[in-house]
Structures are given as C-alpha cells and as structure tokens.
C-alpha cells in the first residue's frame, strides 16, 4: 500500500472525477447550515484535509481567516487557485503526533479520519482537539457503517423486486465487504478498493468522548441513491444513504 502522500498526489490531477463530492451531494444542504451556525467574522477556522478546497466557497466568507491543511501538494496547489484572499494553505501530515498548529475557533474535517490503520484516526482526532480553543466547535464528516450495511440491504431489495434471490446476486456486488471478520467488526469497508474506516453512531460517542470532546450532535448528511446504486428504481426513497455529520465541542 502506498503512503497517503503518494496516493493523494497521484489522484490530484483527476480528483474531481474520482472523489465523491460531499458538498454537491448533500441532499438537504445541511453542511451550509452548520457552517452558518458556527460562523463569525472575528473567528478563525481550520479545514483538516482540505483537498482541493471544496469547503472554501462555503467557509471563506463566514470566517475571518481559514487555514487549509492537507498532505498533498498537488491538491493544495488546486486549492490555492481558488483565489480566496483570507485562506492560507499548508502541507502537513495530520496523523503525526504532537503537530504544532495555530489555535482556531472552528475545525472542519470532511472524510479524512477514515484511515485503515486505526491508530492514525485517533492521532488525527487528537490533533483536531489540540488545535481548538476551549469553547470551540469541530464539525466532522465520517463514513457510516450503518449506511453501508443499509445500502447493501436495499440493493438486495432492488434485486428481489426483479425476481432475483439474494443467493443469485452477482458476488462482486458485495466485494466491498471483505471476508475478514476482524476487519468488518472494526468497520473496514472497501471504497473503490481502498479499505476505509466506517463508524457506528455508538462508536462515535465513545471515541470522541475519549478524546476529550463533548458530542453535541450526530446528524446525517444524506445523499441520493445513485451515489450507492447504479440506476436506482423510482420507488427507492428515504431513508437515503448517508455520512455522519458530527458536531463536537471542546
Ligand atoms: C476524501 S478526500 C476529502 C477532501 C476534502 N475534505 C473534501 O471533502 O473535499 C481526503 C483528503 O485527505 C487528505 N489526506 C489523506 N491523508 C492525510 C494525512 N495523513 N494528513 C493530511 N491530509 C491527508 C488527502 O490528501 C485528501 O485531500
């Protein structure tokens, strides 16, 4: 397995085609509401793992200063080209112990704390905690284990309606659930062949409390079914697939 820096620099040129766009897909536009709730023109914000800066059009106008951090220089270069004058960018491996970061009022982190080496997730959560001022808020988007299971169940339902029994569904439909039980229990599900940490709601409560945060809310960022199932039928409606949107206070 490549390290994260090589992996993300390699993806950078085709990032917009390959990587799921949370902001565009956020079906009920919940993210902008949370940004507004915590915004302030005298407040500073950090986007942990900002990628090519998709959060900036939403955040830059709402805060005095935004710092975007990412491991990939290729993505940071694209982020810079967005041209926001109150956004600064810095390359950093956010899984490193004891990172020295400026203190911010607000932290945002969207689909980054999902490393298959689970220790790295804890390390990164600690770095987010350390970088927040007391009373500050962190907004974290995380893959949902429950959503992955539910989407697979709905796929079985779709086949059933077409007269195909669960046993007869092509095996590759469920390739993202690898056979290793220990991996499954720990929420390791494959997205585009990359093992990706997924979270249950209860686990979120445990790990963020252990990191020192108060969990203020665990909300859903819901997406259309076509993000999970190719050509979903008309009758497939809510509940929709989702990522967790976690609101935390220091
Ligand atoms: C799925 S993308 C999400 C990007 C952005 N937050 C968004 O929602 O559009 C994951 C991002 O995490 C960054 N990343 C991965 N490992 C990292 C690490 N160890 N330190 C800092 N950034 C990392 C990648 O370069 C990539 O930009």
């Amino acid at each position: 397995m490549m390290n994260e820096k090589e992996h993300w620099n390699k993806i950078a040129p085709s990032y917009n085609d390959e990587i799921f766009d949370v902001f565009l897909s956020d079906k009920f536009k919940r993210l902008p509401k949370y940004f507004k709730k915590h915004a302030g023109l005298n407040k500073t914000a950090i986007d942990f793992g900002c990628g090519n800066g998709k959060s900036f059009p939403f955040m830059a106008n709402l805060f005095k200063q935004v710092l975007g951090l990412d491991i990939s220089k290729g993505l940071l270069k694209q982020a810079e080209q967005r041209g926001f004058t109150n956004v600064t960018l810095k390359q950093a491996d956010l899984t490193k112990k004891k990172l020295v970061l400026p203190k911010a009022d607000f932290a945002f982190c969207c689909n980054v704390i999902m490393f298959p080496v689970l220790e790295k997730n804890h390390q990164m959560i600690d770095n987010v905690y350390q970088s927040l001022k007391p009373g500050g808020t962190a907004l974290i988007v995380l893959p949902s284990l429950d959503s992955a299971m539910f989407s697979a169940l709905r796929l079985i339902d779709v086949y059933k309606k077409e007269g195909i029994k669960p046993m007869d569904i092509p095996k590759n439909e469920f390739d993202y659930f690898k056979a290793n039980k220990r991996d499954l229990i720990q929420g390791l599900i494959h997205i585009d062949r990359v093992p990706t940490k997924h979270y249950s709601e209860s686990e979120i409560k445990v790990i963020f409390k252990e990191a020192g945060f108060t969990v203020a809310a665990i909300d859903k960022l819901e997406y259309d079914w076509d993000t999970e199932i190719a050509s979903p039928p008309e009758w497939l409606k809510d509940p929709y697939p989702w990522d967790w949107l976690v609101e935390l206070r220091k």
Side-chain angles (χ1 to χ4, degrees):
M1 171 105 192
M2 273 188 288
N3 68 28
E4 279 109 35
K5 196 164 150 188
E6 289 170 34
H7 176 77
W8 287 100
N9 275 328
K10 198 166 155 242
I11 285 179
S14 53
Y15 180 88
N16 286 333
D17 299 324
E18 286 189 36
I19 303 301
F20 181 67
D21 191 326
V22 168
F23 302 87
L24 213 64
S25 312
D26 173 12
K27 190 170 170 64
F28 301 108
K29 302 289 165 232
R30 294 212 173 103
L31 265 182
K33 282 186 199 139
Y34 276 90
F35 287 144
K36 282 194 190 107
K37 177 176 172 190
H38 298 291
L41 292 173
N42 56 350
K43 288 186 183 174
T44 58
I46 303 179
D47 184 344
F48 286 82
C50 61
N52 68 4
K54 286 198 170 133
S55 76
F56 301 157
F58 298 87
M59 287 173 67
N61 298 333
L62 297 175
F63 293 90
K64 182 171 78 182
Q65 188 74 35
V66 178
L67 171 62
L69 301 169
D70 203 279
I71 200 166
S72 162
K73 284 218 170 98
L75 289 172
L76 287 170
K77 196 171 268 171
Q78 293 175 29
E80 194 175 11
Q81 282 162 1
R82 292 184 187 262
F84 288 98
T85 50
N86 65 336
V87 174
T88 36
L89 298 158
K90 225 181 125 194
Q91 200 239 345
D93 180 349
L94 298 168
T95 65
K96 280 269 152 66
K97 272 190 186 164
K98 302 212 163 59
L99 265 190
V100 181
L101 296 169
K103 301 273 181 196
D105 300 287
F106 180 73
F108 178 59
C109 181
C110 181
N111 283 342
V112 184
I113 308 179
M114 51 190 198
F115 300 100
V117 179
L118 301 175
E119 186 50 38
K120 291 190 177 185
N121 298 308
H122 295 283
Q123 217 63 67
M124 191 165 165
I125 292 168
D126 278 344
N127 284 328
V128 174
Y129 185 84
Q130 291 306 332
S131 77
L132 268 186
K133 294 178 190 167
T137 297
L139 199 61
I140 316 255
V141 179
L142 299 169
S144 161
L145 185 58
D146 195 0
S147 176
M149 299 289 282
F150 180 62
S151 297
L153 180 69
R154 291 307 258 161
L155 186 64
I156 290 181
D157 292 340
V158 169
Y159 272 104
K160 218 182 267 171
K161 279 249 160 98
E162 291 171 2
I164 296 162
K165 294 195 192 86
M167 279 307 291
D168 300 327
I169 297 174
K171 275 207 172 60
N172 66 358
E173 287 281 28
F174 305 116
D175 271 356
Y176 48 91
F177 295 110
K178 292 281 169 177
N180 182 330
K181 289 175 195 144
R182 280 165 188 79
D183 279 2
L184 263 188
I185 290 166
Q186 294 182 99
L188 289 173
I189 299 217
H190 291 236
I191 299 178
D192 301 331
R193 275 178 257 117
V194 183
T196 305
K197 166 70 181 157
H198 287 60
Y199 296 83
S200 72
E201 187 173 1
S202 307
E203 180 185 13
I204 287 171
K205 288 181 185 163
V206 171
I207 57 174
F208 287 102
K209 191 175 165 199
E210 277 178 3
F213 283 106
T214 302
V215 180
I218 303 178
D219 206 343
K220 281 177 170 183
L221 273 192
E222 287 160 277
Y223 309 122
D224 276 325
W225 273 112
D226 62 8
T227 62
E228 290 290 327
I229 295 178
S231 318
E234 264 299 305
W235 55 261
L236 194 55
K237 294 209 164 75
D238 67 308
Y240 292 99
W242 73 95
D243 279 334
W244 294 119
L245 179 59
V246 187
E247 184 189 36
L248 303 162
R249 248 194 315 273
K250 177 168 178 177

